[in-house]
């Protein structure tokens, strides 16, 4: 695995200043959450730094990469290539940034729609991306507090808020996010 200093400088070159600074804040937040919840801080740092590796690619580049990597593209993604930035980013993390750890690649891949059976690191990176210090939306304080206390609950509430927000804004919801939500709702319903 590349050292985080090297990874940082390469990402600083590849990303816009806005995305790079967001990635740094996401990484710092992920490390904090990893510390609180006894997860691997090194992996949280790396995953946080690299999670948006594909964030600044143009739509054409995203689709081209997705095809190269044989990532399945649905009609929704074809229309909004931004939706594949997590899946493409995970492959870029492996191929361009030489990250081999599957748990880190999984956290990158799942930082937008999640997946069923999220690992602790998946949840940490998902939440860190959503609550890093410069983020601001209605209800964020609730998620920030929950993230300190209970990762599973924080993820469930964060995921729910994200879906509701997308719907309220009239935006497209990826079918994968709906199926992840159904499994989250089932889990939450049990408790
Ligand atoms: Fe992202
Ligand atoms: Fe992000």
């Amino acid at each position: 695995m590349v050292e985080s200093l090297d990874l940082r400088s390469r990402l600083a070159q590849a990303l816009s200043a806005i995305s790079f600074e967001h990635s740094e804040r996401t990484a710092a937040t992920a490390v904090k959450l990893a510390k609180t919840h006894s997860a691997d801080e090194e992996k949280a740092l790396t995953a946080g730094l690299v999670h948006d590796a594909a964030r600044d690619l143009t739509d054409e580049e995203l689709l081209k990469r997705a095809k190269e990597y044989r990532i399945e593209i649905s009609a929704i993604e074809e229309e909004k290539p931004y939706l594949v930035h997590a899946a493409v980013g995970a492959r870029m993390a492996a191929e361009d940034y030489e990250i081999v750890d599957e748990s880190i690649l999984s956290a990158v891949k799942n930082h937008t729609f999640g997946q069923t059976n999220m690992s602790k690191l998946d949840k940490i990176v998902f939440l860190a991306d959503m609550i890093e210090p410069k983020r601001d939306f209605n209800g964020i304080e609730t998620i920030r507090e929950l993230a300190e206390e209970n990762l599973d609950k924080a993820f469930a509430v964060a995921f729910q808020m994200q879906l509701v927000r997308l719907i309220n804004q009239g935006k497209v919801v990826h079918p994968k996010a709906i199926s992840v939500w159904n499994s989250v709702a089932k889990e939450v319903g049990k408790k």
Side-chain angles (χ1 to χ4, degrees):
M1 193 191 296
V2 284
E3 294 298 317
S4 75
L5 233 172
D6 182 34
L7 178 61
R8 267 200 174 92
S9 61
R10 287 169 65 192
L11 283 165
Q13 297 271 318
L15 296 174
S16 66
I18 288 176
S19 295
F20 180 66
E21 284 158 20
H22 159 69
S23 301
E24 292 249 69
R25 291 190 300 271
T26 301
T29 308
V31 168
K32 225 174 96 196
L33 290 174
K35 218 175 265 177
T36 308
H37 299 288
S38 320
D40 190 313
E41 292 171 38
E42 200 57 45
K43 289 182 184 180
L45 174 74
T46 304
L49 282 174
V50 83
H51 82 285
D52 268 342
R55 186 65 183 85
D56 294 329
L57 296 184
T58 62
D59 287 356
E60 291 72 31
E61 284 169 332
L62 271 172
L63 291 175
K64 192 172 152 247
R65 288 260 191 174
K67 274 173 200 143
E68 254 171 53
Y69 296 147
R70 293 171 204 279
I71 294 167
E72 214 181 299
I73 302 168
S74 64
I76 291 180
E77 286 153 345
E78 189 90 51
E79 203 174 306
K80 297 202 185 303
Y82 160 78
L83 294 171
V84 292
H85 86 275
V88 169
R91 292 297 303 272
M92 284 173 71
E95 312 219 348
D96 299 359
Y97 298 97
E98 295 117 46
I99 292 165
V100 291
D101 186 295
E102 287 295 335
S103 63
I104 294 175
L105 299 177
S106 164
V108 174
K109 186 177 173 198
N110 296 309
H111 85 268
T112 51
F113 318 127
Q115 66 165 346
T116 47
N117 298 320
M118 297 270 282
S119 71
K120 204 191 252 189
L121 189 64
D122 290 343
K123 286 181 184 170
I124 284 173
V125 174
F126 184 97
L127 285 165
D129 181 33
M130 203 163 163
I131 63 172
E132 57 95 335
K134 284 267 168 83
R135 295 277 201 204
D136 191 18
F137 54 87
N138 260 347
I140 194 167
E141 285 312 324
T142 308
I143 303 177
R144 285 190 174 129
E145 280 164 29
L146 273 175
E148 286 298 310
E149 294 157 17
N150 185 325
L151 219 45
D152 298 333
K153 236 189 197 165
F155 172 69
V157 172
F159 202 80
Q160 181 176 18
M161 273 190 196
Q162 182 178 276
L163 271 188
V164 170
R165 201 167 65 228
L166 284 172
I167 292 167
N168 283 344
Q169 291 172 350
K171 290 195 177 154
V172 162
V173 175
H174 196 282
K176 194 179 165 199
I178 300 284
S179 75
V180 172
W181 168 248
N182 287 342
S183 82
V184 170
K186 232 182 257 172
E187 266 314 297
V188 173
K190 271 186 213 159
K191 285 169 192 164

